[in-house]
Amino acid sequence: MIHVSDKSQCCGCAACAQRCPKHCITMQLDEEGFPYPQVDADTCVDCKLCEKSCPMLAPKQGHEPSLVIAARNPSEAVRRESSSGGVFSMLAESIIKEEGVVFGARWSKDWNVEHSYTETIEGLEAFRSSKYVQSDMSDCFLKAEAFLKQGRKVLFSGTPCQIAGLKAFLRKDYENLLTVECVCHGVPSPGLWKKYLAEVSKGKEISSINHRDKRTGWRNYSVVVEFANGSVLSEHHDENPWTRAFIKNISLRPSCYKCAFKTFMSQADISLADLWGERKLMPGQSEDKGITLVIARSPKGKDAVNCIKSAKDLALTDVVPFNGAIAIPPREHPVRAEFMSRFQNGESFTKLVKSMTKDPLVLRMKIMISKLIK
């Protein structure tokens, strides 16, 4: 029987709940708003399939990087809609064209984040751009397994722990499975997200959300929430309370601070990330529209990136200093526990973030001067 005594040892991938033959495990939000497995002990037959499907209890050896490149989608429209260079869409389109299936994270009707799949190129649009909330996996592992057993090609994208969860759930290798992870800074709480949206919307109907709007640039992206009445909330990512809490590591899942799937423990075929530092790594080639860092980690992943043109070879040691999330877990904010406690007691999310993640005066002055110069 799966039992979570240390919350840093559960990534919330839901592999255990999906594998249970008696359906006696459900994912329930805890007081911080993160999903954890809850077991109906009366129904459980102690088959231990849940434990065997847990990526934290049964970790596997990861893939060492075999190819590191910088690339971008030739389509300006796709790059504009994507977090970085739009390479995910290139990989996904190649799978769709072979009558395959692509899994990814999208907004649900009530603006939570859910994992789902598409069999059309048009459906890929919903999976583009970052959603800084832990996604609801529902039964996606089961659906992916069904497609794989039918012999169809499947591209499954997600965070490193979700990819590890899928691998543990399947418990065998499938030649027709391509796993693509987004290099992950960490996942914020779905419960916090719901309450933050309620604060922001104040009852207004939301028509769209973009956590990485590039109209102000790829590096200086904004958070944009559009409402049905025509009003728009647009804030620089460092000034938006949600992304500020995310960047400052105060709203992340406990397991993120001890992530077991960084760098050489990644089980994905391909890792995708923003190529920060591109001005030094690729002088004269940056357009501030987004460039993707692509890391092939398996022979299958290396073959898959052949569809990418106009790529530049890089060394992993050159890119890690500009994007530490590739190799290092986030450091827990020193007042995270107090932040969560005060939020649970009903204090405003926005006010808490502004007061508890305030930068030192010297840093604030440097940021202000930098903005004035720009």
Side-chain angles (χ1 to χ4, degrees), residues 352-364:
L352 281 174
V353 172
K354 288 183 177 180
S355 65
M356 299 183 78
T357 66
K358 188 175 292 185
D359 292 319
L361 178 60
V362 173
L363 179 58
R364 295 204 303 272

Side-chain angles (χ1 to χ4, degrees), residues 296-310:
R297 297 181 177 274
S298 69
K300 190 190 304 182
K302 199 170 182 179
D303 288 342
V305 301
N306 285 334
C307 71
I308 301 173
K309 299 179 181 178
S310 302

Side-chain angles (χ1 to χ4, degrees), residues 338-353:
E338 181 188 351
F339 169 81
M340 288 293 185
S341 176
R342 290 174 62 179
F343 183 77
Q344 290 162 32
N345 288 331
E347 294 190 48
S348 163
F349 177 89
T350 298
K351 291 181 180 179
L352 281 174
V353 172

Side-chain angles (χ1 to χ4, degrees), residues 64-98:
E64 292 191 17
S66 58
L67 178 68
V68 180
I69 60 173
R72 50 190 154 204
N73 198 305
S75 168
E76 289 283 339
V78 171
R79 286 176 68 195
R80 187 167 53 249
E81 295 172 355
S82 304
S83 297
S84 50
V87 169
F88 163 77
S89 293
M90 298 170 72
L91 296 169
E93 285 176 12
S94 68
I95 296 293
I96 296 290
K97 288 175 181 177
E98 295 185 56

Side-chain angles (χ1 to χ4, degrees), residues 71-73 78-88 129-130 212 214 218 272-276 288-293:
R72 50 190 154 204
N73 198 305
V78 171
R79 286 176 68 195
R80 187 167 53 249
E81 295 172 355
S82 304
S83 297
S84 50
V87 169
F88 163 77
S129 194
S130 299
R212 294 285 297 271
K214 294 182 181 179
W218 171 46
L272 302 179
D274 291 283
L275 184 68
W276 303 126
D288 200 26
K289 297 179 181 179
I291 302 176
T292 302
L293 170 66

Side-chain angles (χ1 to χ4, degrees), residues 72-260:
R72 50 190 154 204
N73 198 305
S75 168
E76 289 283 339
V78 171
R79 286 176 68 195
R80 187 167 53 249
E81 295 172 355
S82 304
S83 297
S84 50
V87 169
F88 163 77
S89 293
M90 298 170 72
L91 296 169
E93 285 176 12
S94 68
I95 296 293
I96 296 290
K97 288 175 181 177
E98 295 185 56
E99 299 185 350
V101 186
V102 175
F103 284 79
R106 69 182 185 187
W107 294 112
S108 65
K109 291 181 179 179
D110 55 356
W111 299 106
N112 293 312
V113 182
E114 63 182 11
H115 243 72
S116 188
Y117 71 89
T118 184
E119 299 174 78
T120 68
I121 289 178
E122 293 75 19
L124 295 176
E125 182 179 355
F127 298 154
R128 294 182 190 129
S129 194
S130 299
K131 290 100 178 161
Y132 294 134
V133 187
Q134 182 167 19
S135 62
D136 179 0
M137 298 305 293
S138 186
D139 59 351
C140 275
F141 291 172
L142 281 166
K143 289 177 178 175
E145 182 182 49
F147 285 126
L148 290 167
K149 288 181 176 178
Q150 292 170 14
R152 297 183 67 179
K153 286 193 172 185
V154 172
L155 186 158
F156 199 101
S157 65
T159 61
C161 59
Q162 289 172 339
I163 299 301
L166 173 65
K167 294 290 187 74
F169 172 87
L170 295 173
R171 296 177 62 198
K172 64 171 286 187
D173 294 325
Y174 284 87
E175 187 58 36
N176 50 328
L177 171 65
L178 179 68
T179 52
V180 179
E181 69 179 18
C182 56
V183 167
C184 182
H185 176 80
V187 289
S189 158
L192 285 180
W193 173 246
K194 288 181 181 179
K195 293 183 179 180
Y196 167 71
L197 273 191
E199 285 186 19
V200 168
S201 65
K202 298 178 181 178
K204 300 191 296 290
E205 182 183 351
I206 297 172
S207 57
S208 73
I209 298 175
N210 191 342
H211 279 157
R212 294 285 297 271
D213 190 286
K214 294 182 181 179
R215 279 175 284 188
T216 51
W218 171 46
R219 299 177 198 85
N220 292 307
Y221 62 88
S222 299
V223 178
V224 176
V225 181
E226 297 181 347
F227 299 94
N229 65 1
S231 60
V232 177
L233 169 74
S234 179
E235 296 175 317
H236 185 274
H237 65 267
D238 194 47
E239 297 170 352
N240 174 262
W242 185 257
T243 53
R244 185 168 179 80
F246 168 72
I247 294 168
K248 295 295 182 180
N249 306 331
I250 205 169
S251 61
L252 307 183
R253 189 180 181 93
S255 60
C256 296
Y257 305 114
K258 297 182 179 180
C259 180

